Amino acid sequence: MNAPADPTPSLPALPAVTLEAVELVRVRVPLVRAFTTSFGRQTERDVLLIRVEAAGATGWGEVVTTAAPRYNEEFTDGAALVLRDHLVPQLVADGRTLGAAEVPGRLAGIVGHRMARAALEVAVLDAGLRAAGRRLADHLGAVVDRVPAGVSVGIPDGGIGELCTQVAGYLDEGYLRIKAKIEPGFDLAPMRALRELVGPDVDLQVDANAAYDPDDARHLAALDALDELGLTMLEQPFAANRIGDHARHAARWRTPICLDESIHDVHDAVDAVERGAAHIINIKLGRVGGLVESLRIRDACRARGVPVWCGGMLETGVGRAANVALAACDGFVLPGDTSASDRYFATDLTDPFVLEDGHLAVPSGPGIGRVPAGERLVGAERTSLLHP
Ligand code: SMG
Ligand code: MG
């Protein structure tokens, strides 16, 4: 069945701006603790920011790629290259003056590289909104001033004991839901222990990052057993393209299936929902190519009664600010991977996001409401892609 046409969300108009400069700013930021998923172990972020000068304002966006193409096919060196050689030249091919809403259209001829294009969309929009003195959250139609904070807990080096200690600590801090990473061999025993520790009422979900093989009986047996634990959702058990397998097992399991890596755009979301492969969608603005596409997915899910939430990619305050604005929009009904800065970094690049009563405040300033502090970018690698 063809997906019904899902209209483009209409955002308020903004005056066109003239791009004066575009620069890549790349800096490494250590994580406070290693973050291990089924696809690898990260101890730092290789952060790639885009800085845009337009209409007398500076806009920022964060490319949320991982350093290696293990979460999806994008990776940070590739994103820097495609921005330099394709996306930025294409953006200005018809002139440097453009409306912020025009960015996705101008980039339409280039296939994929959604994380790179999303960051460019946010940076141009941030500059345009700052020039107009408007908040991103208001521009997107945010309905709340704070968003509930979940936390994503990696597979700890120290195994089950360390997992329980970390989760107890996060609950003490006030996090409202726990997402634990699983992989074959680290699934049933740790999640049983966690459920035992936190009790039946804590919002507990798991994320496999596509590590399970639907053709492997032992993998399926582990997932079947997890189904007894009252999990809020099972995120992306199988590979991104295994929609039919997700649907087949979703029909057997009580635990709702949430898709992350499978969803690249609104068509994927509608298709997965209509085939019964997803009960919940994780929206990451980078993974789907930007804010406009995120809202399109939100709208399609809302029309079909499917809850969505805002996923994370270990963003610094730049990317987090955009995530929090998105998470504050109508339809984002489940807590996201919107944790406080100190869950990731000893010192964030921006003023930190702070957990208050289990929530993060939506930034109050214009644009995304955060800027990287100059002193934290000392030593960053800078590449100018467009000069005045
Ligand atoms: O930002 O707190 C965060 C991380 C959330 O677990 C998280 N993201 O598949 O959902 C996911 C993972 C991918 C992270 S890889 C950098
Ligand atoms: Mg995920």
Side-chain angles (χ1 to χ4, degrees):
M1 185 172 92
N2 282 333
D6 284 292
T8 300
S10 54
L11 295 176
L14 273 179
V17 295
T18 299
L19 293 182
E20 279 126 38
V22 179
E23 184 184 46
L24 297 182
V25 180
R26 193 161 172 180
V27 61
R28 291 176 184 278
V29 187
L31 294 170
V32 288
R33 58 168 49 130
F35 187 69
T36 301
T37 65
S38 59
F39 63 80
R41 184 173 191 274
Q42 288 172 260
T43 55
E44 63 171 16
R45 276 290 318 288
D46 177 3
V47 179
L48 180 62
L49 303 176
I50 303 178
R51 189 180 65 83
V52 160
E53 298 286 343
T58 302
W60 291 92
E62 179 167 349
V63 182
V64 301
T65 44
T66 43
R70 295 186 188 280
Y71 164 78
N72 65 4
E73 70 285 355
E74 292 193 72
F75 62 108
T76 308
D77 284 332
L81 274 182
V82 81
L83 281 158
R84 186 192 74 184
D85 294 347
H86 300 285
L87 290 169
V88 172
Q90 169 92 26
L91 183 68
V92 298
D94 289 334
R96 290 181 174 215
T97 302
L98 74 167
E102 271 182 68
V103 174
R106 285 208 181 190
L107 301 178
I110 292 170
V111 176
H113 299 282
R114 291 180 172 84
M115 292 173 169
R117 73 173 68 216
L120 194 51
E121 184 202 51
V122 173
V124 174
L125 184 57
D126 185 35
L129 287 165
R130 285 178 198 271
R134 192 183 304 163
R135 285 195 321 161
L136 175 64
D138 296 329
H139 184 69
L140 299 178
V143 291
V144 291
D145 271 330
R146 59 176 206 163
V147 300
V151 61
S152 175
V153 188
I155 298 168
D157 298 341
I160 295 176
E162 191 186 339
L163 176 68
C164 289
T165 307
Q166 285 187 18
V167 167
Y170 289 132
L171 289 173
D172 278 350
E173 286 181 52
Y175 283 103
L176 297 173
R177 71 91 162 115
I178 301 293
K179 159 166 143 180
K181 293 290 186 179
I182 58 169
E183 65 182 356
F186 191 83
D187 41 34
L188 186 57
M191 294 316 126
R192 273 199 182 127
L194 261 194
R195 183 50 95 197
E196 185 99 336
L197 173 80
V198 303
D201 297 330
V202 166
D203 189 350
L204 180 63
Q205 63 193 65
V206 293
D207 185 3
N209 287 108
Y212 289 76
D213 178 354
D215 302 320
D216 184 319
R218 281 170 308 179
H219 286 195
L220 286 179
L223 297 176
D224 284 351
L226 282 180
D227 201 32
E228 310 300 317
L229 295 180
L231 302 172
T232 311
M233 71 190 81
L234 164 58
E235 184 175 340
Q236 197 71 47
F238 309 129
N241 61 345
R242 304 292 294 261
I243 298 301
D245 294 291
H246 282 106
R248 189 152 52 88
H249 295 291
R252 299 194 301 114
W253 291 328
R254 272 176 294 188
T255 310
I257 300 298
C258 171
L259 291 183
D260 174 356
E261 286 91 328
S262 293
I263 308 301
H264 306 92
D265 61 18
V266 69
H267 306 294
D268 286 345
V270 169
D271 185 48
V273 166
E274 293 192 344
R275 291 172 67 185
H279 306 106
I280 300 170
I281 301 284
N282 169 338
I283 298 182
K284 292 178 179 164
L285 74 93
R287 193 195 69 232
V288 304
L291 288 161
V292 172
E293 193 63 25
S294 297
L295 292 179
R296 203 177 275 143
I297 294 171
R298 184 279 311 263
D299 290 348
C301 287
R302 195 166 46 178
R304 291 163 178 80
V306 170
V308 304
W309 55 279
C310 180
M313 291 294 289
L314 309 172
E315 289 89 346
T316 72
V318 174
R320 190 162 312 282
N323 286 351
V324 168
L326 181 64
C329 292
D330 195 29
F332 285 75
V333 292
L334 296 167
D337 293 331
T338 39
S339 311
S341 295
D342 67 0
R343 179 261 171 270
Y344 309 95
F345 313 110
T347 311
D348 204 335
L349 293 181
T350 65
D351 282 351
F353 281 87
V354 179
L355 194 65
E356 283 170 60
D357 188 25
H359 292 70
L360 300 189
V362 179
S364 55
I368 63 172
R370 286 289 195 280
V371 285
E375 73 271 15
R376 287 173 216 149
L377 297 181
V378 171
E381 180 190 320
R382 290 171 179 268
T383 311
S384 173
L385 304 187
L386 189 73
H387 328 269

